[in-house]
């Protein structure tokens, strides 16, 4: 995408100032989303150490922790010691100017510093103030909100893993990511409302609620039918075959969402009669008889490799794909013209890293900002001067 002639003033959130008092993943990912869309994001960090994730590694790139860098591009970093009266005054000034404040201190932490929503609203009535916690600001206020623990307590691990194996977490801090997306959506909605009403807003998000909202059909199975979902490995509780199946050289993911797709799958595998077999003639029957069906399918899949079966099944519109790596996924996206990455540059304009780009495509296009994640306190002097310090 060629955005070279575009001004950052063309970005959707140009002119929006975000005061980012968050750290780790959920808050920083939410604010990076706003930054990617054109907002000015000033990240407030502890002097000396900064965001905890600056030290989370390996792996480390040439410029720092890849964990930190994954969620902090297009931001400015200023170090403020909130125990120091002068720096605390600068933090208050930043909040008084901000359109959006994002924080993930322990519930009540910002209030103790005089930086809470009530204080912010007194000087900045239109502020959109988003607080992110693990378990909310009521009875769960003192519980530490780490993604892994929330996956355990919230039930995600109970449905992740093999039936006869241990409960497993997702391979990424999924609850943090989901909460970040909820936060970004809420902030954008609050800004839209403010544009017509002038009203600011206090948004409260917590990891547990975001997880429960994302459990979708699994949570509704509990609430609506009293069903207790269990671990099914890569199988689906309500659809079959919708799982990984073993080919001659490894697994392939096959997703038959309707009877027509199953009929085409059976035909390609050379067992067309399975589509009319009374054990497999409908999806509920296939789910009930999954243990019988899967070996029959895998017996045919063993005749060729996963890539060959992917080609043949895709040709007849049966969703299927071999199990690849993250690098394979990025290569696939690139081959499909999705432009999955963006080069980020330092203050001198030199490319310092490649990152996954903001995933939304725009028409007409918007400028894609590509400033590298800031060094700790990189904009300290400029931001302090701007704030009057």
């Amino acid at each position: 995408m060629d955005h070279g002639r575009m001004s950052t003033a063309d970005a959707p959130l140009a002119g929006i100032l975000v005061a980012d008092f968050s750290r780790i993943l959920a808050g920083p990912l939410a604010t990076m989303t706003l930054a990617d869309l054109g907002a000015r994001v000033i990240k407030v960090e502890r002097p000396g150490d900064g965001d905890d994730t600056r030290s989370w590694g390996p792996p480390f790139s040439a410029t720092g922790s890849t964990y930190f860098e994954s969620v902090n591009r297009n931001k400015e970093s200023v170090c403020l010691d909130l125990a120091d009266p002068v720096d605390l005054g600068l933090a208050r000034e930043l909040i008084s100017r901000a359109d959006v404040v994002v924080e993930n201190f322990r519930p009540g932490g910002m209030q103790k510093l005089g930086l809470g929503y009530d204080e912010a609203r007194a000087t900045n009535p239109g502020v959109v103030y988003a607080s992110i916690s693990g378990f909310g600001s009521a009875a769960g206020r003192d519980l530490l909100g780490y993604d892994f623990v929330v996956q355990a307590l919230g039930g995600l691990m109970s449905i992740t893993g093999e039936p006869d194996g241990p409960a497993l977490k997702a391979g990424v801090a999924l609850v943090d990511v989901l909460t970040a997306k909820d936060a970004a959506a809420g902030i954008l909605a609050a800004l839209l409302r403010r544009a017509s009403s002038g009203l600011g807003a206090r948004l409260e998000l917590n990891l547990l609620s975001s997880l429960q909202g994302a459990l979708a059909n699994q949570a509704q199975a509990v609430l609506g039918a009293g069903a207790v979902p269990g671990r099914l490995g890569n199988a689906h509780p309500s659809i079959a075959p919708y799982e990984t199946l073993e080919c001659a050289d490894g697994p392939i993911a096959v997703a038959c969402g309707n009877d027509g797709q199953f009929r085409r799958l059976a035909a390609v595998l050379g067992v067309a009669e399975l589509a009319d077999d009374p054990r497999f003639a409908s999806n509920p029957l296939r789910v009930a008889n999954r243990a019988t069906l899967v070996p029959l399918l895998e017996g045919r899949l063993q005749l060729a490799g996963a890539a060959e079966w992917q080609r043949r099944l895709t040709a007849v519109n049966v969703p299927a794909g071999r199990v690849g790596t993250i690098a394979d996924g990025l290569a696939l996206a690139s081959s499909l013209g999705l432009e999955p990455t963006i080069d980020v540059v330092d203050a001198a304009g030199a490319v310092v890293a490649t990152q996954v780009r903001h995933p939304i495509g725009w028409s007409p296009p918007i400028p894609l900002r590509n400033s590298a994640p800031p060094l700790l306190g990189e904009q300290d002097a400029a931001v302090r001067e701007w704030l009057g310090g």
Side-chain angles (χ1 to χ4, degrees), residues 124-210:
N124 187 359
V127 69
V128 174
Y129 193 108
S131 297
I132 300 172
S133 65
F135 300 93
S137 59
R141 62 185 292 122
D142 294 325
L143 299 177
L144 297 178
Y146 279 77
D147 176 280
F148 179 36
V149 175
V150 177
Q151 289 197 37
L153 290 171
L156 180 59
M157 289 177 63
S158 76
I159 58 172
T160 306
E162 294 296 331
D164 56 353
L168 296 175
K169 69 177 182 65
V172 70
L174 185 62
V175 182
D176 275 327
V177 172
L178 292 167
T179 306
K181 291 183 177 294
D182 285 344
I187 289 166
L188 293 173
L191 288 173
L192 181 62
R193 186 185 73 159
R194 190 185 72 169
S196 60
S197 69
L199 296 173
R202 171 76 189 280
L203 309 180
E204 291 194 69
L205 301 104
N206 67 81
L207 303 188
L208 182 58
S209 292
S210 285

Side-chain angles (χ1 to χ4, degrees), residues 79 155 239 253 289 308 328 358 360:
C79 292
I239 313 172
N289 294 291
E308 172 62 16
D328 292 334
H358 189 274
I360 299 174

Side-chain angles (χ1 to χ4, degrees), residues 1 3 12 33 36-37 73 181 184 188 338-339 357-368:
M1 298 180 187
H3 303 289
T33 299
D36 284 347
L37 295 174
R73 68 169 170 256
K181 291 183 177 294
L188 293 173
L338 300 179
E339 301 185 43
R357 70 166 177 86
H358 189 274
I360 299 174
W362 287 72
S363 183
I366 65 170
L368 293 178

Side-chain angles (χ1 to χ4, degrees), residues 69-292:
E69 291 174 348
S70 70
V71 292
N72 283 290
R73 68 169 170 256
N74 293 324
K75 301 180 185 179
E76 302 169 45
S77 171
V78 60
C79 292
L80 296 179
D81 179 358
L82 300 181
D84 177 81
V86 173
D87 281 7
L88 184 61
L90 294 177
R92 288 197 183 100
E93 178 63 21
L94 175 60
I95 289 173
S96 74
R97 300 186 188 189
D99 298 284
V100 177
V101 176
V102 178
E103 62 93 7
N104 63 352
F105 281 55
R106 278 199 188 185
M110 288 286 276
Q111 288 91 324
K112 290 179 181 177
L113 293 166
L115 304 176
Y117 175 61
D118 289 339
E119 293 85 357
R121 182 176 57 177
T123 58
N124 187 359
V127 69
V128 174
Y129 193 108
S131 297
I132 300 172
S133 65
F135 300 93
S137 59
R141 62 185 292 122
D142 294 325
L143 299 177
L144 297 178
Y146 279 77
D147 176 280
F148 179 36
V149 175
V150 177
Q151 289 197 37
L153 290 171
L156 180 59
M157 289 177 63
S158 76
I159 58 172
T160 306
E162 294 296 331
D164 56 353
L168 296 175
K169 69 177 182 65
V172 70
L174 185 62
V175 182
D176 275 327
V177 172
L178 292 167
T179 306
K181 291 183 177 294
D182 285 344
I187 289 166
L188 293 173
L191 288 173
L192 181 62
R193 186 185 73 159
R194 190 185 72 169
S196 60
S197 69
L199 296 173
R202 171 76 189 280
L203 309 180
E204 291 194 69
L205 301 104
N206 67 81
L207 303 188
L208 182 58
S209 292
S210 285
L211 169 59
Q212 289 167 335
L215 286 173
N217 59 299
Q218 296 284 46
Q220 195 57 38
V222 175
L223 295 172
V228 180
R231 293 188 294 281
L232 292 175
N234 290 320
H236 194 287
S238 305
I239 313 172
Y242 197 104
E243 55 207 280
T244 50
L245 301 170
E246 288 296 323
C247 303
D249 59 354
I252 187 172
V254 176
C256 285
N258 57 55
D259 294 341
Q261 290 173 342
F262 178 67
R263 184 172 292 277
R264 294 195 295 276
L265 167 69
V268 168
L269 295 185
V271 284
E273 66 276 8
L274 292 183
D276 296 313
D277 189 306
R279 297 169 296 176
F280 313 128
S282 69
N283 179 68
L285 290 169
R286 291 192 294 275
V287 172
N289 294 291
R290 187 197 310 269
T292 302

